[in-house]
Amino acid sequence: MAGTDATKAEALRRALRDSVLQQLDQHLAGPVAPGLYLVATPIGNLSDITLRALTTLANADTIYCEDTRQSQKLLDRYGIRRRLRVYQEHNAAEERPRILAALADGRSIALISDAGTPLVSDPGYKLVHEAVAAGIDVTAVPGPSAVLAALSVAGLPTDSFHFGGFLPSRQGQRCERIEGLRSVPGTLVLFEAPQRLGETLADLAALLGDRPAAVARELTKLHETVVRGSLGELAATFGSDEPKGECVIVVDAGEELAVDDSDIVSRLSEALRGLSTKDAADLVARQLGVPRKRVYALAIALRSGTKE
């Protein structure tokens, strides 16, 4: 019986290998049409590359990437020999006209990021915008995405979500951004560097409340971990334990509370006796879970005597 099972398994492997090789041969037989190709690359496990991505990269005239050292590892893994050039935030203004000129001349250009899908917290928007305006074909070659990978394993609602990218590194600016996310009607997905993870989780807990959340790190890699809990619990966990690798934070949507202006004014009247307008607005906004701008406007009106 064991020998029969092994024979069947070997036959399945051969069939799969032959099918994959046949598809690769078909794709590699023809050149890539002129245009700009946005190619998703693995976020950790190099085996996650798609057949279409491989054939696009193998046939494109030029590949633009963020870091040639990082992207060369992927190309070497699959024996792809193509010219790599850098397109990143620091040289985009200089390099973009060259890319557009090559595209206008009928070239095929592939744009990749260090990991995942291009343009998601990576440079490229302006290039795509100008290519579209110039009538150049822009094609997505979809594949791995840290946003969707984290969302799918977090165990939180997926029917509606908001990607917030990286929050500011300075706490004041970070808290201001979080304030703006308070009323977003969907699951939040955020990127964060490991050295700021604990601080960011603490700020999220303080400003959004103790919502259910998850932290995913090293996605698709050997040491992939997903830690689930409330924001307060996660802040305590990672406050003293700095993880390795880039992290994705997924936060459940908060329940929108109906708060009347009269409730806000009542709290403000007391807070303004000992605090500045700004500090009183900050305090009441946190207490009631409402946007700070709304509270601040009422505080200004109260100070000027136009709000009873």
Side-chain angles (χ1 to χ4, degrees):
M1 179 65 74
T4 302
D5 290 342
T7 300
K8 288 181 178 180
E10 178 60 26
L12 286 172
R13 283 194 292 269
R14 288 180 179 177
L16 177 60
R17 181 189 61 202
D18 291 344
S19 177
V20 169
L21 290 175
Q22 183 179 12
Q23 291 186 55
L24 279 171
D25 285 340
Q26 289 174 352
H27 285 297
L28 289 168
V32 173
L36 176 62
Y37 293 83
L38 311 175
V39 183
T41 55
I43 58 177
N45 190 325
L46 294 184
S47 296
D48 288 338
I49 192 76
T50 68
L51 297 180
R52 187 179 172 207
L54 286 175
T55 54
T56 300
L57 294 177
N59 286 327
D61 292 318
T62 306
I63 301 172
Y64 276 86
C65 62
E66 292 182 88
D67 186 335
T68 56
R69 295 167 299 179
Q70 184 71 21
S71 297
Q72 193 63 55
K73 296 176 185 177
L74 176 64
L75 300 191
D76 288 345
R77 169 72 175 269
Y78 292 100
I80 295 173
R81 298 290 180 263
R82 274 292 177 268
R83 184 183 185 189
L84 278 175
R85 297 198 62 167
V86 174
Y87 184 80
Q88 56 178 230
E89 182 181 356
H90 301 297
N91 76 336
E94 177 183 352
E95 201 65 34
R96 192 159 52 247
R98 295 195 184 114
I99 299 175
L100 292 169
L103 289 167
D105 196 37
R107 299 287 184 176
S108 57
I109 304 285
L111 177 68
I112 62 176
S113 65
D114 283 346
T117 302
L119 276 69
V120 179
S121 278
D122 288 317
Y125 159 71
K126 290 183 179 179
L127 174 60
V128 172
H129 178 76
E130 293 187 24
V132 170
I136 294 166
D137 287 336
V138 178
T139 303
V141 181
S145 165
V147 175
L148 297 179
L151 186 65
S152 66
V153 299
L156 298 172
T158 58
D159 55 328
S160 176
F161 66 92
H162 172 83
F163 174 58
F166 282 97
L167 295 175
S169 58
R170 294 186 179 181
Q171 187 179 33
Q173 295 173 341
R174 182 167 63 240
C175 288
E176 185 176 351
R177 177 80 67 80
I178 294 172
E179 287 272 7
L181 297 172
R182 189 201 304 270
S183 58
V184 170
T187 300
L188 300 175
V189 183
L190 306 166
F191 287 166
E192 190 51 279
Q195 67 270 20
R196 291 195 299 270
L197 181 61
E199 296 177 5
T200 294
L201 288 167
D203 289 339
L204 287 166
L207 296 170
L208 300 182
D210 209 17
R211 301 183 187 182
V215 172
R217 71 175 191 86
E218 297 286 270
L219 284 168
T220 77
K221 298 180 182 179
L222 180 63
H223 300 294
E224 172 182 319
T225 58
V226 182
V227 183
R228 304 172 183 87
S230 70
L231 282 171
E233 291 169 342
L234 293 174
T237 297
F238 291 104
S240 57
D241 181 20
E242 181 181 309
K244 294 181 180 179
E246 297 295 339
C247 303
V248 185
I249 304 171
V250 186
V251 184
D252 197 7
E255 296 183 6
E256 189 174 349
L257 302 176
V259 180
D260 294 332
D261 280 1
S262 59
D263 297 329
I264 299 175
V265 169
S266 176
R267 295 285 188 102
L268 280 172
S269 297
E270 182 177 348
L272 286 169
R273 292 172 186 166
L275 297 174
S276 67
T277 302
K278 177 182 179 299
D279 290 341
D282 288 342
L283 174 64
V284 174
R286 291 193 184 96
Q287 289 175 339
L288 297 178
V290 295
R292 180 186 174 281
K293 288 183 179 179
R294 178 184 171 192
V295 180
Y296 187 73
L298 290 170
I300 292 293
L302 206 57
R303 282 285 199 198
S304 63
T306 60
K307 191 75 178 179
E308 295 297 334

